[in-house]
């Protein structure tokens, strides 16, 4: 396809798939798109293992790596021991919520996620060192302007650097910083997202970038789970699409099977945008867990990354028990997903999803062309 994204990344179709599952990454890249491995929550040694596996199975096709290195967060620049302690109020709230659904709060383990450490300058540097030891074709930062080291390593290794943005001003700041690709994510997106809808944000950013004389290509994101939506976004000024939610229900995805079934049955209204999981606004599948945090009297979510220390251990235990058939845990189970979940009604392989995108994209373009008279 004649998109600058295809030329820049060496891919056939400008569809990028963010996933924490290496199998999805490989399947999408082999099908002509680009898989992007989400590495924010794993330690460097685990990232080395995952990328080595991808290298062995992807057949030389390009793939990327996505990190979260925010410009500011609680405890940034401090030693881990100096970070604020989790308030007793939050601990008690989680314990009470679990007990109400028959989950023993005492069974919840400690935090094994490396998210907080990876957000530090040293943690990010360690992950970047691992990533650039492999033949990656893209490095992306999910929150804020990429750190100087990421931009420097990208230029040194001729690897494009992408950054997610949720406002016009953020997009222009990324252009000034020298980012190679803008991932313009509307509020419909799963995971961290802003308030402005994709349909408004994409043309707004496209016009702003053009107005300053920049040629930075744009990937539209936020609720995009079909080829016709991708075509619509490209008609508004994008050069391709960045997707995440649609891969959660694929055969390859490691998503909790209980959550997969919930997603396949969900409507577009069955999500909520909340700070209760990470401390920054992120869209999740609605459940009694998310409802409790949004209810009157619930404690205010802690700033990132402290809120993750509250939520993730409990939700890991909920996932484990739900997969074993625990009814209370099955009700509580949730995960990040965008409003496009209402269009995710059939479980398919990741390669099949890419093919469906291509066919739907072509059909949408033909439909638009049909409106043009002779």
């Amino acid at each position: 396809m004649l998109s600058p994204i295809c030329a820049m990344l060496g891919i056939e179709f400008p569809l990028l798939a963010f996933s924490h599952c290496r199998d999805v990454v490989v399947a999408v890249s082999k099908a002509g798109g680009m898989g992007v491995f989400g590495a924010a929550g794993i330690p460097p040694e685990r990232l080395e293992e995952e990328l080595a596996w991808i290298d062995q199975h992807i057949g030389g096709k390009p793939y990327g790596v996505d990190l979260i290195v925010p410009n500011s967060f609680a405890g940034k620049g401090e030693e881990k021991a100096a970070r604020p302690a989790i308030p007793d109020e939050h601990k008690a709230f989680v314990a009470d919520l679990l007990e109400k659904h028959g989950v023993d709060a005492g069974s919840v383990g400690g935090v094994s996620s490396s998210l907080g450490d990876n957000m530090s300058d040293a943690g990010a540097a360690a992950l970047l060192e691992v990533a650039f030891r492999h033949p990656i074709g893209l490095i992306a930062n999910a929150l804020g302007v990429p750190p100087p080291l990421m931009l420097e390593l990208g230029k040194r290794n001729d690897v494009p650097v992408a950054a997610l943005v949720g406002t016009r001003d953020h997009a222009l700041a990324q252009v000034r910083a020298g980012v190679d690709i803008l991932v313009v994510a509307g509020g419909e997106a799963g995971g961290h997202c802003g308030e402005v809808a994709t349909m408004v944000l994409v043309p707004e950013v496209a016009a702003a970038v053009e107005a300053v004389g920049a040629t930075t290509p744009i990937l539209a994101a936020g609720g995009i789970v079909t080829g016709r939506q991708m075509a619509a976004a490209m008609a508004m000024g994008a050069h391709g699409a960045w997707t995440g939610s649609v891969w959660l229900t694929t055969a390859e995805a490691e998503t909790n099977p209980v959550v997969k079934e919930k997603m396949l049955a969900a409507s577009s209204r069955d999500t909520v945008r909340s700070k209760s999981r990470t401390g920054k606004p992120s869209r999740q599948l609605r459940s009694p867990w998310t409802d409790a945090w949004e209810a009157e009297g619930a404690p205010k979510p802690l700033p990132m990354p402290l809120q993750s220390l509250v939520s993730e251990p409990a939700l890991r235990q909920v996932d484990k028990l739900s997969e074993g058939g625990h009814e209370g845990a099955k009700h509580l189970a949730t995960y990040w997903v965008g409003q496009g979940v209402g269009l995710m009604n059939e479980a398919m392989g990741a390669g099949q999803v890419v093919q469906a995108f291509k066919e739907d994209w072509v059909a949408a373009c033909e439909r638009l062309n049909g409106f043009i008279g002779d």
Side-chain angles (χ1 to χ4, degrees):
M1 184 183 293
L2 298 178
S3 164
I5 293 294
C6 292
M8 184 180 290
L9 301 180
I11 57 179
E12 170 195 331
F13 188 61
L15 175 66
L16 277 72
F18 167 85
S19 178
H20 295 292
C21 178
R22 63 192 188 183
D23 298 271
V24 171
V25 170
V26 166
V28 172
S29 288
K30 283 188 169 182
M34 177 183 254
V36 181
F37 184 72
I42 61 175
E45 57 271 19
R46 169 80 185 284
L47 179 59
E48 174 62 40
E49 294 173 6
E50 296 291 303
L51 298 189
W53 187 94
I54 291 172
D55 292 341
Q56 293 169 8
H57 292 83
I58 205 164
K61 296 292 186 180
Y63 70 94
V65 172
D66 178 277
L67 304 176
I68 297 180
V69 190
N71 301 138
S72 64
F73 62 88
K76 184 175 177 68
E78 299 175 2
E79 295 296 328
K80 187 162 34 173
R83 292 177 187 163
I86 304 302
D88 290 340
E89 177 189 12
H90 290 70
K91 295 178 183 177
F93 180 81
V94 169
D96 181 62
L97 176 55
L98 294 176
E99 296 288 354
K100 283 180 179 177
H101 290 81
V103 176
D104 177 16
S107 67
V108 175
V111 177
S112 61
S113 170
S114 301
L115 181 61
D117 294 337
N118 292 348
M119 287 182 187
S120 69
D121 292 339
L127 288 179
L128 288 168
E129 180 183 354
V130 171
F132 280 97
R133 285 204 298 262
H134 294 264
I136 60 172
L138 177 75
I139 190 78
N141 190 42
L143 281 175
V145 176
L149 180 60
M150 184 183 289
L151 292 166
E152 177 190 335
L153 288 172
K155 285 183 172 56
R156 187 190 310 168
N157 293 278
D158 198 25
V159 172
V161 178
L164 275 72
V165 300
T167 71
R168 181 187 68 88
D169 290 342
H170 290 164
L172 292 177
Q174 300 283 12
V175 169
R176 288 192 295 269
V179 163
D180 299 296
I181 297 174
L182 296 173
V183 180
V184 179
E188 299 95 323
H192 294 108
C193 59
E195 298 179 89
V196 184
T198 307
M199 186 121 187
V200 172
L201 186 62
V202 170
E204 183 180 27
V205 169
V209 170
E210 182 180 347
V212 297
T215 58
T216 312
I218 291 170
L219 288 170
I224 299 173
V225 300
T226 66
R228 69 188 64 191
Q229 291 173 290
M230 179 178 173
M234 292 175 75
M236 294 189 296
H239 302 93
W242 172 285
T243 55
S245 297
V246 70
W247 313 104
L248 295 172
T249 53
T250 58
E252 294 89 344
E254 296 176 345
T255 314
N256 175 354
V258 173
V259 175
K260 272 189 184 182
E261 289 302 315
K262 283 188 172 186
M263 289 180 179
L264 290 170
S267 75
S268 57
R269 298 180 65 188
D270 292 325
T271 68
V272 61
R273 182 175 175 271
S274 168
K275 293 183 179 181
S276 63
R277 187 146 187 171
T278 70
K280 289 185 181 289
S282 65
R283 189 172 295 283
Q284 307 143 58
L285 189 66
R286 185 176 177 182
S287 84
W289 171 275
T290 62
D291 286 346
W293 282 98
E294 298 303 308
E296 185 177 351
K300 182 179 179 181
L302 301 171
M304 180 183 262
L306 300 179
Q307 185 63 24
S308 294
L309 307 186
V310 174
S311 61
E312 291 310 315
L315 289 172
R316 275 201 307 275
Q317 182 66 1
V318 164
D319 273 341
K320 179 180 177 182
L321 293 176
S322 68
E323 291 188 54
H326 187 292
E327 288 302 319
K330 287 167 70 173
H331 286 299
L332 287 170
T334 178
Y335 196 65
W336 289 285
V337 73
Q339 289 181 317
V341 70
L343 294 168
M344 293 158 46
N345 303 314
E346 180 184 359
M348 295 189 290
Q352 289 177 288
V353 172
V354 176
Q355 185 60 30
F357 258 88
K358 292 177 181 178
E359 293 172 0
D360 200 36
W361 186 92
V362 169
C365 291
E366 290 176 345
R367 181 174 182 272
L368 281 176
N369 287 335
F371 287 108
I372 301 174
D374 295 333

